[in-house]
Amino acid sequence: FLFEMSTNDLVILIIDYIEGGYYHPDMKAKLKNGDQMLNSGETMFGLDRKAGGPDVTSSANGKAFWQLVDAWYNTHHGDTSYYNDKADGKKIPKEVGLQLRELAAKIISDRYKNYSSALNSKAKKIVDNNPALLLQFVYGCYNGQGNFNNFANIVNNAVNNGITDPETLYNLIQTARRNKNSHYAKGADLLDIIKERYLHGGNNGGGGGLLLGLLAVGIGIFFVTQLTKK
């Protein structure tokens, strides 16, 4: 596949390949490895209602996202059969899953607009015009602003030293992810899978909604079963 990707499209790939489905703290004691959830709040597609910040909880898109979650999941918040549900038609209608993905994509895209000020102008131009490198930073929005800034500094320093090849810059961030810890290394492996399957070659022309369009007509709504939990 060779797609031109918008940030919204990339978020949907991240949701379907990397991020988990529904979780509520009332499930924790009933789950086999519930202790691994630590202090996570109610979570959907990697967005944490407790710790996600105002863009996740109180922005217009955030409020709409959680209102939709409440409408379909609230009465099942302690039911572990709903754990990790991806709103793909098994428990929740696919049409609702599409709406949730659209809202999550808007939340993370807005976050990218905010966080990406950490990139200098030359580095940001390179990132925004290469879908694989843009994928790194869209996923970096899930990793928190501190980690995003660290990845931005890596790219800024490289560009300032004359390294402008997007593949080289992508691999520099992959190395940083793998050196951080096993969780980040697993994420790096999944980013490579997305890159190899969907982001070969070409610049990002901001295709804006190609994947969303495929979802809307029911073609390839979900690319794979979740390979791993975040």
Side-chain angles (χ1 to χ4, degrees):
F1 292 88
L2 172 57
F3 291 148
E4 293 180 338
M5 294 286 182
S6 70
T7 53
N8 284 12
D9 295 327
L10 293 172
V11 174
I12 290 173
L13 282 171
I14 289 166
I15 287 170
D16 287 335
Y17 272 88
I18 302 177
E19 290 300 330
Y22 184 69
Y23 166 77
H24 192 282
D26 287 352
M27 298 176 179
K28 182 176 179 179
K30 306 173 188 177
L31 293 171
K32 181 178 179 181
N33 296 311
D35 289 345
Q36 294 179 7
M37 301 308 295
L38 301 176
N39 294 319
S40 292
E42 186 177 15
T43 306
M44 184 69 175
F45 298 157
L47 301 179
D48 190 322
R49 196 171 195 167
K50 177 181 176 182
D55 56 345
V56 171
T57 59
S58 59
S59 67
N61 288 321
K63 289 179 179 178
F65 180 84
W66 291 111
Q67 285 172 359
L68 199 55
V69 169
D70 286 343
W72 289 94
Y73 286 97
N74 185 261
T75 58
H76 308 288
H77 59 80
D79 183 348
T80 56
S81 72
Y82 280 76
Y83 172 67
N84 213 27
D85 183 73
K86 301 289 285 274
D88 55 3
K90 297 181 181 71
K91 297 284 190 180
I92 303 299
K94 291 178 180 179
E95 294 78 9
V96 176
L98 173 59
Q99 294 176 58
L100 286 168
R101 281 164 170 75
E102 289 174 333
L103 289 166
K106 289 176 182 178
I107 292 167
I108 296 299
S109 292
D110 286 345
R111 182 176 286 186
Y112 174 73
K113 291 175 185 176
N114 179 29
Y115 285 7
S116 63
S117 61
L119 291 160
N120 66 42
S121 58
K122 188 172 182 179
K124 189 173 187 302
K125 184 176 181 180
I126 296 170
V127 170
D128 286 344
N129 285 281
N130 182 269
L133 198 49
L134 182 59
L135 174 70
Q136 281 283 9
F137 282 96
V138 172
Y139 187 46
C141 292
Y142 280 95
N143 302 143
Q145 190 164 13
N147 286 303
F148 186 103
N149 290 346
N150 289 338
F151 299 146
N153 288 336
I154 289 169
V155 171
N156 288 339
N157 291 335
V159 169
N160 289 341
N161 284 286
I163 300 171
T164 58
D165 173 57
E167 182 73 11
T168 301
L169 297 173
Y170 174 92
N171 287 328
L172 286 173
I173 301 175
Q174 287 291 74
T175 298
R177 287 185 179 280
R178 292 189 168 107
N179 286 341
K180 187 173 178 64
N181 58 44
S182 61
H183 170 75
Y184 278 79
K186 188 179 293 184
D189 291 342
L190 293 171
L191 289 173
D192 277 343
I193 290 173
I194 296 172
K195 175 175 175 286
E196 290 304 311
R197 293 186 181 178
Y198 300 101
L199 306 180
H200 275 307
N203 288 335
N204 178 33
L210 175 57
L211 293 176
L212 289 173
L214 291 175
L215 287 166
V217 296
I219 301 174
I221 288 183
F222 304 107
F223 298 100
V224 291
T225 302
Q226 184 192 19
L227 299 180
T228 186
K229 186 179 181 300
K230 181 181 175 186

